[in-house]
Amino acid sequence: MSTRTTPTTSPFAWFHSLGAKGKRAFAGAFGGFGLDAYDFQVLPLSLFAITAYFGISQAQAGLLNTVTLVVSALGGAIAGVLADRIGRVRTLMITVITYAVFTVACGFATSYEMLMVFRALQGLGFGGEWAAGAILVAEYCKPQYRGRTVAFIQSSWAVGWGLSVVVYTVVFSFLPPDTAWRVLFWTGAIPAVLIFYVRRNVEDAPAVEEKRAASTRKGSFKAIFRGPLGHTTFFASVLATGVQGGYYTLASWVPTYLRTERDLSVVNTGGYLALLISGAFAGYVTGGYLTDRLGRKRTFTLFAALSAVLIVLFTQIPDGANGLLLLVTFPLGFATSAIFSGFGSFLAELYPTDLRGTGQGFTYNFGRAGGALFPTAVGFLAAGMGVGGAMIFGAIAYGIAVLALLGLPETKGVELR
């Protein structure tokens, strides 16, 4: 009798359950979101050098991140509509090529204003990729595995983030800062290679595609604001705002905080970020299993509370106590990333097939736009409070997320409509 573990009982039963087409869709979406993270993170990693190169204030530096996130809300909403109208895979390809092209363009900017325009255009693709990729995979999943499967897609953010830190450490170690930040942006061309794989190997889930194509209301913004769906759209948007407000405060300002207030070198900053990213990857994966076991709302609440506490601890550690800072870094990355694990499954379960792209694209990316106000606020408050002191503002965002959950249903285990 064979002792080999069968797919239905293995820890990766969720992956086996996708089938051949689903696995290819998973690979395409995983690569797309990971490289999305890479192209986003090159700005926060370069912000210290860009601030000096253009002679801008911290408030102006923070505005670069804000513009990216605000425009990404528009990109995400548009991509959501496109996903419902022309399909998930075609939309995925459009978004990937958009963020790759304009990330490279940022490296050629000759002024602060030009950089802002290119970064804003990069946001169109950055915001749209997740809307298409997460839905694509969610529609291949079995209900009992949906939380963890889409969470593994979310975990690719940590992979892309980690790759950007490795490249950052190498580039800034060997090139002067005035050149290094440009080279880092030029490496943003890498995602364009993914297009060839997606075009040849990935297709929309056949059963879902039939329902989407047959609908007469697909891609309608009006429909997601009517009746019960309007209630859902409002509270899901507030939830996304709170979670992303806290996260982008961290992602946008930690590199600058480590360089300016903790006086860490490029290499040492990379080491702290590596620990933060390791925690993030573990958080994404663990959060996915928990969202299937505990339910979507309990998992959001648990990690919102932990994230708020850990941001305060991380930013208030006394000068010279960098060993303690290091101790908090992994749990911080874990909690602030684990909270994202439930988003892909939760939002997909809240909307019917013909409006799933529109609803998910709008709510998640509205959260990006609203959440963008938090890193901007940190930039303005930093002049008087310091970057570390101002980053506490991000903890408030997680309280907003918990309040939003009061208006949303639990969707654990439901079949997609």
Side-chain angles (χ1 to χ4, degrees), residues 184-202:
L184 196 58
F185 275 107
W186 292 335
T187 64
I190 296 171
V193 178
L194 180 69
I195 295 297
F196 297 103
Y197 173 83
V198 173
R199 185 174 181 180
R200 290 174 61 91
N201 298 284
V202 182

Side-chain angles (χ1 to χ4, degrees), residues 81 84-85 217-224 226 354-355 358:
V81 171
D84 284 338
R85 293 187 177 182
R217 64 172 186 170
K218 54 180 178 288
S220 168
F221 279 121
K222 288 183 180 179
I224 66 170
R226 288 193 188 122
D354 55 348
L355 295 174
T358 306

